[in-house]
Amino acid sequence: MILVTGGAGFIGSNFVLDWLARDSEAIVNLDLLTYAGNLHNLQALEGDSRHIFVRGDIGDADLVTRLLAQHQPRAVINFAAESHVDRSIHGPEEFIQTNIVGTFHLLESVRAYWNALPQAGQADFRFLHVSTDEVYGSLNKDEPAFKETHCYQPNSPYSASKAASDHLVRAYHHTYGLPVLTTNCSNNYGPYHFPEKLIPLVIHNALAGKTLPIYGDGQQIRDWLYVADHCSAIRRVLESGRLGETYNIGGWNEKANLEVVNTLCAMLDELQPRADGKSYAEQITFVKDRPGHDRRYAIDAGKIEKELGWKPAETFATGIRKTVRWYLDNQQWAQDVTSGAYRDWVQRQYVA
Ligand code: NAD
Ligand code: DAU
């Protein structure tokens, strides 16, 4: 049995689905179901006794303590977070609350549970913290990609809150001996990605005949990784990662935002052409830049490749095609998540 937090969000639900498709080991899935959490993502698991869903907060020490005592997991994987940079700029407080204070309470509950385990259970136990490359800050065009030894220089309330949580996780290993692992991953894309993030937003808006908003000059660079590859890397680190270590995860796929959006438009032109015969690229609109916008992220994933033999299975070309097809086949999913609350967000971010 493992305990996963945030398993109804984008990466967490992909992880839970992948795990249960390959393994008989059960999962307790603790998720608060914020706007970003969606039980529809896990519909395929309905009636599957290996998936135990619990709605709740990682910061609720009584609840987490009870779950740990009841289910005796051999590992906790912490995906739960507020994850959208733009939202952290509009309102940082929830980011501080969940990503820092919530992770602290989770660590405290896990430490008490781990301390009470018999010696063999203590040795086998793992706390895996899922983090981001954004903690390293921004790179110039010619700087080498982030290695695990790169200094932390977070620039947004989101990345600062994730950096703080990484530091707490590290401290619980050094101070209390908690067997922790941390992963720092680049930008994911794939099924169940909430349409506030660039790739699903562009697909969703393109199909709805809306504008495709590009911040600033669109030359900001991100490294893109197909979500199933992130999940396989986490499984690998959980199995064989060295205690207390951090592992960078990335796709070796650096792309400028405008290039990503043009690729999406070309793919949609091919798979679902516009009725008027024009390209979706005509919908591209340059809008006001994100404050403090990081110019470039790039991940050196050499350590996880050398130490643990992990490599991504998808290139950007194969992963993005699968993604576009998934969104075309699952338009109802996008309709369902773009509720009233979603429309309020879009109004605030792009119109107000
Ligand atoms: P997401 O926003 O899609 O999902 C977050 C999930 O956490 C949601 O289901 C939400 O309901 C849940 N949650 C939020 N607050 C909670 C709380 N207090 N208690 C319990 N559950 C709570 O995020 P995502 O994109 O799936 O990211 C998952 C993790 O991976 C995050 O920690 C994020 O920082 C990290 N990460 C994301 C990316 C990416 O490209 N999306 C890349 C690297 C790392
Ligand atoms: O690098 C990992 C991070 O990737 C994760 O830690 C975050 O949780 C995840 O949200 C993501 O952060 P980004 O800020 O890079 O992702 P986002 O999809 O919001 O934006 C990608 C790029 O596209 C970024 O340079 C901003 C730009 N952008 C985004 C939106 C939503 C636009 O130009 N227009 C948009 O409308």
Side-chain angles (χ1 to χ4, degrees), residues 3-74:
L3 190 148
V4 163
T5 72
F10 163 46
I11 303 172
S13 61
N14 275 283
F15 182 85
V16 168
L17 291 166
D18 272 12
W19 179 277
L20 293 175
R22 5 179 127 244
D23 208 302
S24 56
E25 191 175 15
I27 290 184
V28 179
N29 182 354
L30 172 66
D31 194 298
L32 190 56
L33 295 182
T34 66
Y35 79 92
N38 183 357
L39 283 179
H40 286 317
N41 301 4
L42 300 163
Q43 227 158 22
L45 299 175
E46 240 173 50
D48 188 330
S49 58
R50 297 170 307 158
H51 179 237
I52 301 161
F53 182 80
V54 180
R55 183 174 192 183
D57 192 328
I58 55 168
D60 182 343
D62 290 344
L63 172 65
V64 175
T65 300
R66 210 167 52 243
L67 289 176
L68 291 168
Q70 184 184 349
H71 298 289
Q72 300 279 309
R74 69 168 176 97

Side-chain angles (χ1 to χ4, degrees), residues 6-12 30-38 56-59 78-83 98 130-133 158 162 185-188 193 196-197 230:
F10 163 46
I11 303 172
L30 172 66
D31 194 298
L32 190 56
L33 295 182
T34 66
Y35 79 92
N38 183 357
D57 192 328
I58 55 168
N78 185 30
F79 291 95
E82 287 294 333
S83 70
T98 284
V130 179
S131 192
T132 170
D133 60 359
Y158 162 68
K162 290 296 291 187
C185 188
S186 59
N187 284 60
N188 285 214
H193 203 183
E196 65 187 352
K197 310 277 167 66
H230 189 186

Side-chain angles (χ1 to χ4, degrees), residues 61-275:
D62 290 344
L63 172 65
V64 175
T65 300
R66 210 167 52 243
L67 289 176
L68 291 168
Q70 184 184 349
H71 298 289
Q72 300 279 309
R74 69 168 176 97
V76 172
I77 306 180
N78 185 30
F79 291 95
E82 287 294 333
S83 70
H84 192 35
V85 174
D86 294 319
R87 284 184 190 257
S88 82
I89 294 167
H90 284 274
E93 188 154 356
E94 281 164 330
F95 289 74
I96 306 307
Q97 207 49 50
T98 284
N99 300 0
I100 306 180
V101 181
T103 303
F104 160 69
H105 286 301
L106 179 66
L107 281 165
E108 277 292 88
S109 307
V110 170
R111 178 165 76 94
Y113 165 71
W114 176 75
N115 266 330
L117 287 176
Q119 229 170 22
Q122 283 196 347
D124 289 345
F125 185 80
R126 298 288 180 270
F127 180 90
L128 192 155
H129 180 61
V130 179
S131 192
T132 170
D133 60 359
E134 299 202 11
V135 297
Y136 299 125
S138 185
L139 291 168
N140 295 327
K141 202 161 68 71
D142 304 320
E143 280 181 293
F146 299 128
K147 285 188 188 292
E148 289 77 359
T149 47
H150 197 282
C151 61
Y152 270 38
Q153 289 180 319
N155 291 319
S156 72
Y158 162 68
S159 54
S161 68
K162 290 296 291 187
S165 67
D166 293 7
H167 291 323
L168 283 170
V169 171
R170 176 189 162 89
Y172 272 62
H173 177 65
H174 282 267
T175 305
Y176 303 115
L178 192 69
V180 308
L181 298 155
T182 297
T183 54
N184 294 87
C185 188
S186 59
N187 284 60
N188 285 214
Y189 65 98
Y192 305 114
H193 203 183
F194 195 77
E196 65 187 352
K197 310 277 167 66
L198 180 71
I199 287 180
L201 178 94
V202 163
I203 300 172
H204 180 71
N205 280 13
L207 295 173
K210 295 184 178 153
T211 57
L212 312 180
I214 308 271
Y215 297 163
D217 63 2
Q219 293 308 315
Q220 303 81 5
I221 292 173
R222 298 290 181 266
D223 168 73
W224 293 96
L225 180 71
Y226 190 63
V227 64
D229 281 327
H230 189 186
C231 295
S232 74
I234 290 171
R235 288 196 301 271
R236 201 76 203 88
V237 172
L238 182 66
E239 267 165 37
S240 310
R242 283 187 293 131
L243 293 187
E245 291 291 315
T246 65
Y247 291 91
N248 282 355
I249 304 172
W252 306 102
N253 281 313
E254 279 186 61
K255 306 260 175 236
N257 293 337
L258 193 55
E259 184 188 347
V260 170
V261 174
N262 277 319
T263 303
L264 290 170
C265 290
M267 213 159 270
L268 288 169
D269 289 342
E270 175 200 332
L271 297 173
Q272 187 152 313
R274 265 172 50 157

